[in-house]
C-alpha cells in the first residue's frame, strides 16, 4: 500500500510539474472581437507568431458561396484571414484604410492579400477583393474570393469595422 501511495504521489506531483512547463505551441494573442446579436464572432483581430515574427490578422469570418447578391453559408470551418501588419501601429493603419474604403463610391474595389484556411491562418496567400457595396440605408465591405466560377464572400458593416478599430486602438494604448 505504501508503494502504491508513493507511486501515486510521484505521479500527481510529476503531472503538476509538467503542467507548469511551457510546451511548444504557437502563441496566439486575441486583441479584439465583435460579436453578432446571437453571440457569434463576426470580426476579430489577433496576433500570432509566424516563425519568429509576430503577425497581426483580421479574421472576417466564414465565407458563403454564390454570386455577388446571394450567398449560402455552408462551411463553418474555413475562415478568411487578412494579414494587417507586423506591429500594432501597422495593424491600426491597415484597419483605418479599410474604414476609409466606406467613403468610396459603390462597387469600388481594392485588392488585398488573404488566407482562406481552417481555424488559423497558414503561409498560403491569395488575392482578396474588397468591394464597397451600397445597401438600402448603409454601405458594407464585401470581402471575396473567386473559386471555381463561384464567389466566396462575406460582408462587414461600417459599425463593426469601427468597433474593432476602436478596440485595437484601446488595446494599443493599454499595452504601450
Amino acid at each position: 500500500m505504501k508503494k502504491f501511495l508513493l507511486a501515486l504521489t510521484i505521479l500527481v506531483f510529476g503531472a503538476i510539474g509538467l503542467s507548469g512547463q511551457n510546451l511548444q505551441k504557437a502563441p496566439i494573442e486575441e486583441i479584439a472581437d465583435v460579436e453578432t446579436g446571437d453571440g457569434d464572432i463576426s470580426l476579430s483581430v489577433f496576433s500570432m507568431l509566424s516563425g519568429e515574427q509576430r503577425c497581426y490578422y483580421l479574421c472576417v469570418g466564414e465565407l458563403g458561396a454564390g454570386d455577388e447578391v446571394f450567398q449560402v453559408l455552408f462551411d463553418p470551418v474555413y475562415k478568411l484571414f487578412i494579414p494587417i501588419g507586423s506591429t500594432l501601429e501597422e495593424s491600426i493603419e491597415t484597419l483605418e484604410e479599410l474604414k476609409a474604403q466606406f467613403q468610396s463610391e459603390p462597387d469600388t474595389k481594392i485588392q488585398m492579400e488573404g488566407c482562406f484556411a481552417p481555424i488559423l491562418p497558414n503561409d498560403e496567400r491569395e488575392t482578396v477583393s474588397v468591394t464597397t457595396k451600397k445597401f438600402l440605408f448603409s454601405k458594407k465591405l464585401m470581402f471575396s474570393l473567386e473559386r471555381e466560377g463561384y464567389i466566396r464572400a462575406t460582408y462587414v458593416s461600417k459599425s463593426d469595422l469601427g468597433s474593432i478599430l476602436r478596440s485595437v486602438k484601446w488595446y494599443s494604448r493599454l499595452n504601450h
Side-chain angles (χ1 to χ4, degrees):
M1 183 70 169
K2 287 182 185 180
K3 288 182 182 181
F4 175 73
L5 288 176
L6 180 63
L8 184 62
T9 304
I10 290 171
L11 183 65
V12 168
F13 283 109
I16 291 171
L18 285 177
S19 68
Q21 295 180 6
N22 290 334
L23 300 176
Q24 293 297 330
K25 291 184 180 177
I28 298 170
E29 183 178 5
E30 186 174 324
I31 296 169
D33 61 34
V34 175
E35 293 181 1
T36 59
D38 58 3
D40 290 337
I41 293 176
S42 62
L43 287 178
S44 66
V45 171
F46 64 93
S47 70
M48 63 184 269
L49 286 177
S50 179
E52 295 199 16
Q53 182 178 6
R54 184 150 299 275
C55 189
Y56 291 81
Y57 291 92
L58 169 67
C59 176
V60 296
E62 304 157 359
L63 301 183
D67 57 26
E68 287 196 22
V69 177
F70 185 71
Q71 293 283 316
V72 176
L73 186 62
F74 65 91
D75 183 2
V77 176
Y78 277 74
K79 298 183 183 303
L80 181 59
F81 303 96
I82 307 294
I84 55 175
S86 57
T87 65
L88 270 172
E89 292 75 24
E90 287 177 9
S91 302
I92 290 169
E93 189 176 306
T94 303
L95 291 170
E96 286 175 338
E97 289 170 6
L98 282 171
K99 188 174 179 191
Q101 183 71 15
F102 283 101
Q103 304 306 317
S104 61
E105 292 296 317
D107 295 324
T108 302
K109 187 181 291 191
I110 62 171
Q111 306 285 315
M112 298 185 83
E113 190 176 78
C115 175
F116 188 54
I119 304 169
L120 290 173
N122 54 38
D123 293 331
E124 296 177 23
R125 301 288 186 260
E126 58 188 293
T127 302
V128 175
S129 295
V130 182
T131 310
T132 307
K133 292 293 187 181
K134 176 89 169 130
F135 292 92
L136 290 176
F137 299 108
S138 66
K139 285 185 179 178
K140 292 189 177 192
L141 295 182
M142 180 177 81
F143 289 80
S144 63
L145 303 168
E146 214 168 301
R147 293 276 171 90
E148 302 169 2
Y150 291 101
I151 295 175
R152 303 287 312 262
T154 191
Y155 295 87
V156 174
S157 70
K158 185 176 183 179
S159 63
D160 284 352
L161 191 61
S163 209
I164 203 88
L165 177 58
R166 283 188 302 278
S167 295
V168 173
K169 285 181 177 179
W170 178 256
Y171 177 89
S172 177
R173 282 188 215 115
L174 289 176
N175 291 294
H176 281 85

